[in-house]
Amino acid sequence: MMPKTTSPIWHPFTQHALQDEMTKVVRGDGAYLHAADGRRIIDAISSWWVVTHGHCHPHIVSAIQEQAGKLNQIIFAGYTHDPAEEVASQLLELAPRGLDHVFFSDSGSTCVEVALKMALGYWHNIGKPRTRFIVMQHSYHGDTVGTMSVGARSVFNAAYEPLLFDVASVPFPALGHEQATLDALEAACRKEKPAAFIVEPLVLGAGGMLMYPSWVLEEMKRICEASDVLFIADEVMTGWGRTGTLFACEQADITPDIVCYSKGLTGGSLPLAVTLCRADIFDSHCSKDRTRTFFHSSSYTANPIACAAAKANLDLWQDPESRRRVAALATMQEEAIAPFHTDPRFANVRRTGTIAALDLKTSDAGYLADIGPKLQQFFKDRNLLLRPLGNTIYVMPPYCVTAADLDEIYAGIRDAADALS
Ligand SMILES: *Cc1c(COP(=O)(O)O)cnc(C)c1O
C-alpha cells in the first residue's frame, strides 16, 4: 500500500500506510510542546520517557550551549575530557554503592548491548565461558538484535526471530504469583549456568507498564548472588526519579553487578547512555594480554556536549527540589488515579512512583488492536501526547507538570473511555 505521506522520512514504530500526517513541533517548554499550527500539547509521556525536568530546562540548555563552543567531539580512546570525568565520578556517587566503573555509549539499546558483552567477556576472561542469559517474560531492552534477543518475542520482532539468540525466561511476578518467578529463577540459575540475569527493576515499560514490588527485586538479586550469576539491571526507563527514588534499585537496597542508564541521563536533552559495573568485571578485562581488551566503541562515545548535558542533569539532582518534585508528582498521580479504581471501564489501575497506568477494558486488547491508534488519535485531538500500549493507558509526565495539567490529562482519559469503550 502506498503511504499517504509526502515526506521521505521513515518514522520509528510508525505504520506509514495508516498514519498519514505527523504533528510538526517547533518548540518545547516544560511539560508543553508547541505545534507548528499554534496548538499547545501537554507531553504526558515525557516524549517517550526521556524528558525528566521538562523540555528545554534553562540549566541544561546553557550547559549545552557553553560546551558546544568549547569542544564538541573528541575520540574517546586515548583521550578524555572534563564533562565525561565529572559525569562518571558523580554517577558513582549517586548509583548504588559497590559500582566502580562507567562505560559510555549513546542509547538505551547500546548500553544494554554493552552490559551483555561485559557479562560474556567477564566469564570468557576468567576462563569459565558462559553464554546463556535469563530474562523476564514481557521484558523490553531495546531494538538491536542483541537486545531484541533478551526481550519478549512478539510481533515487534517476528521477522527477525530466527536470528535472535536463545534465552531462558522466568514468568513475570504477577500479584500473588511472585514465588513462581523466584522458583523459576532459582531453577534456571542452577540448570542453565547462565552468564547473567537481566531485568527491568520494578516496572516493565514497553511490556505494558507492568509493576512488581521491591521485595521481589531484592529476592531476585539474592538468588543470582547465591547462584554466582551476574545481575544486570536495565534502569534505562526506571532511572532518574521515575519510580519515586532516583534509581529503582534503591527501593530494594541492592547493587546490581551491572546497571544501564540512559533516557533521563541528560534530562532528555541529548542521546547518551552509560553502563556501570563492579570492579571485578572491569578487572577481568584488564590485562597485559591485549586480547582481553573490551572491544566496544561507538563513534560518539562520551560526546562532550552530551556529557555536559548529563553533568547539568546531575547538578539538578543535587538540588533537593528535584526529589521534592518527584515526591509531589507521585502524590498527585495517586490522587488522580484514585477515582479510576472504582470505574468499571478500567482494570489494573496501578502506580509506581511517578508512573501511573490503567487498562481500558475492551474486547479489542493487545498492542496491535485498533483501540491503541483510536485512543492515540482521540488524545491528539485533545492536545494531549499520550501513546497507549494497546489498551494500556499510562501517564509518565515530566516532573514540572502541574496539577491543572494532570486534571486535563485524566479528564481526557475519562472522556476517551466514554467515547471508545
Ligand atoms: C527505551 C528502553 C531501552 C532502549 O532505549 P533506546 O534509547 O530507545 O535504545 C532499553 N531498555 C528499556 C527498559 C527501555 O525502556
Side-chain angles (χ1 to χ4, degrees):
M1 193 173 166
M2 286 297 289
K4 297 177 198 163
T5 174
T6 51
S7 166
I9 297 172
W10 192 345
H11 287 260
F13 271 71
T14 299
Q15 178 41 270
H16 281 272
L18 295 172
Q19 188 177 354
D20 47 350
E21 234 179 280
M22 303 296 145
T23 305
K24 187 173 281 181
V25 171
V26 291
R27 198 162 60 79
D29 151 36
Y32 309 120
L33 297 166
H34 299 273
D37 62 9
R39 288 179 306 125
R40 190 190 79 171
I41 300 163
I42 300 178
D43 187 351
I45 63 162
S46 300
S47 282
W48 249 345
W49 321 347
V50 300
V51 178
T52 47
H53 312 288
H55 288 272
C56 292
H57 191 287
H59 183 62
I60 299 177
V61 170
S62 65
I64 290 171
Q65 287 170 334
E66 195 185 320
Q67 186 60 42
K70 219 190 271 176
L71 175 70
N72 62 10
Q73 168 63 7
I74 173 81
I75 177 174
F76 207 58
Y79 293 82
T80 192
H81 50 80
D82 283 338
E85 296 293 338
E86 287 163 10
V87 167
S89 61
Q90 282 191 30
L91 271 172
L92 294 180
E93 292 284 311
L94 286 169
R97 290 275 136 226
L99 293 162
D100 306 285
H101 295 276
V102 179
F103 192 95
F104 284 95
S105 58
D106 45 24
S107 74
S109 300
T110 52
C111 70
V112 173
E113 292 279 355
V114 165
L116 301 176
K117 287 176 70 173
M118 278 181 180
L120 296 171
Y122 168 78
W123 292 108
H124 176 85
N125 290 343
I126 65 166
K128 300 183 193 167
R130 294 189 187 187
T131 52
R132 291 277 284 171
F133 288 99
I134 308 179
V135 307
M136 181 179 279
Q137 177 194 21
H138 302 310
S139 293
Y140 174 81
H141 298 291
D143 286 336
T144 54
V145 173
T147 59
M148 280 194 294
S149 296
V150 291
R153 302 294 195 268
S154 70
V155 62
F156 299 146
N157 44 47
Y160 330 112
E161 164 122 41
L163 294 180
L164 303 186
F165 59 75
D166 192 32
V167 293
S169 178
V170 300
F172 174 77
L175 192 64
H177 301 273
E178 296 89 351
Q179 194 57 44
T181 299
L182 301 177
D183 292 345
L185 180 60
E186 202 148 28
C189 284
R190 203 171 336 109
K191 186 168 142 269
E192 311 265 353
K193 281 267 164 229
F197 171 55
I198 178 164
V199 73
E200 297 165 82
L202 303 187
V203 184
L204 273 57
M209 296 298 155
L210 304 174
M211 303 175 182
Y212 63 90
S214 58
W215 70 265
V216 176
L217 182 61
E218 190 182 345
E219 279 300 292
M220 292 191 301
K221 172 65 174 75
R222 188 192 56 75
I223 290 167
C224 288
E225 201 169 315
S227 316
D228 199 21
V229 169
L230 297 177
F231 186 97
I232 305 173
D234 176 356
E235 291 234 31
V236 169
M237 186 281 278
T238 54
W240 310 106
R242 290 291 174 203
T243 67
T245 42
L246 185 58
F247 302 117
C249 285
E250 289 170 25
Q251 294 180 44
D253 197 19
I254 57 164
T255 299
D257 300 301
I258 303 175
V259 65
C260 307
Y261 303 132
S262 184
K263 292 198 166 112
L265 172 58
T266 59
S269 62
L270 283 171
L272 187 71
V274 286
T275 309
L276 275 53
C277 71
R278 261 184 12 213
D280 54 340
I281 294 170
F282 173 86
D283 291 347
S284 71
H285 289 82
C286 203
S287 165
K288 295 249 152 58
D289 173 2
R290 284 181 196 279
T291 64
R292 287 209 195 177
T293 305
F294 187 51
F295 292 110
H296 192 96
S297 165
S298 35
S299 307
Y300 290 97
T301 302
N303 171 265
I305 304 174
C307 287
K311 168 73 172 62
N313 169 53
L314 291 166
D315 294 342
L316 293 174
W317 282 105
Q318 299 294 349
D319 182 348
E321 174 65 9
S322 293
R323 284 169 214 257
R324 202 195 53 73
R325 282 198 175 201
V326 162
L329 177 55
T331 305
M332 276 156 54
Q333 285 275 58
E334 187 62 30
E335 285 164 4
I337 60 164
F340 290 90
H341 285 285
T342 50
D343 188 326
R345 296 166 306 175
F346 293 94
N348 305 322
V349 180
R350 55 199 185 274
R351 182 187 67 86
T352 297
T354 69
I355 309 167
L358 61 177
D359 302 343
L360 182 62
K361 284 189 197 157
T362 165
S363 51
D364 186 27
Y367 184 87
L368 287 193
D370 285 340
I371 191 72
K374 277 187 197 154
L375 283 167
Q376 212 174 302
Q377 188 57 48
F378 183 92
F379 295 131
K380 207 170 199 179
D381 294 341
R382 296 276 293 241
N383 294 333
L384 297 174
L385 170 50
L386 280 165
R387 197 183 155 91
L389 297 155
N391 63 320
T392 297
I393 303 171
Y394 66 90
V395 180
M396 195 196 291
Y399 308 143
C400 57
V401 76
T402 65
D405 296 332
L406 275 191
D407 283 348
E408 239 181 274
I409 294 166
Y410 285 96
I413 294 173
R414 210 167 287 115
D415 294 347
D418 288 339
L420 300 170
S421 74

